[in-house]
Amino acid sequence: MKCGGEAAQLKAIISQMESLSHYAENGALLEIAIQSAVDRINQRRGYRGEGYEQKYRSNVIRGAIDYLERLGGGELASYSENGISGSYNEVPSWLVEVIPKLGVYR
């Protein structure tokens, strides 16, 4: 999948974020983050086409940012280390906004 437009937009956004700006020049990582978000959206939608449905473009960007934040330990609901417990949110807000495709019973 070509992610040129998404990668440029993601780079512009994270360049302004102190906690993520160090990822801005890593094009391969940006594409991995974008593809991860696309895969999760398509799985939720049951979409099997190429790319993703364009109405979810902002969700793709937000999902890629979420992916990068998780690399650095951001977006934690809580955390566990040396007796301190924690976890990530089950479904992030950017993915909750993606409407699941409803199946039809036959």
Side-chain angles (χ1 to χ4, degrees):
M1 176 181 112
K2 293 190 178 186
C3 300
E6 292 88 348
Q9 186 176 2
L10 179 59
K11 181 178 178 177
I13 292 169
I14 68 170
S15 292
Q16 303 303 311
M17 300 173 73
E18 187 176 325
S19 63
L20 299 178
S21 61
H22 57 282
Y23 295 129
E25 297 305 319
N26 189 337
L29 181 60
L30 298 184
E31 292 210 20
I32 290 168
I34 290 165
Q35 189 60 54
S36 174
V38 168
D39 291 346
R40 290 188 69 189
I41 289 169
N42 287 345
Q43 180 181 22
R44 186 167 173 92
R45 290 284 299 150
Y47 182 73
R48 304 217 189 287
E50 202 167 309
Y52 62 92
E53 297 170 280
Q54 287 299 304
K55 65 183 174 181
Y56 294 113
R57 182 182 176 107
S58 67
N59 298 84
V60 168
I61 300 301
R62 289 173 43 219
I65 291 170
D66 180 60
Y67 179 92
L68 295 172
E69 286 177 333
R70 287 176 187 244
L71 288 178
E75 289 291 313
L76 286 173
S78 54
Y79 182 70
S80 177
E81 186 175 320
N82 295 327
I84 301 172
S85 298
S87 64
Y88 286 101
N89 291 325
E90 289 267 337
V91 181
S93 61
W94 64 269
L95 192 55
V96 169
E97 295 170 0
V98 175
I99 301 167
K101 185 174 182 177
L102 300 176
V104 177
Y105 292 104
R106 295 179 188 211

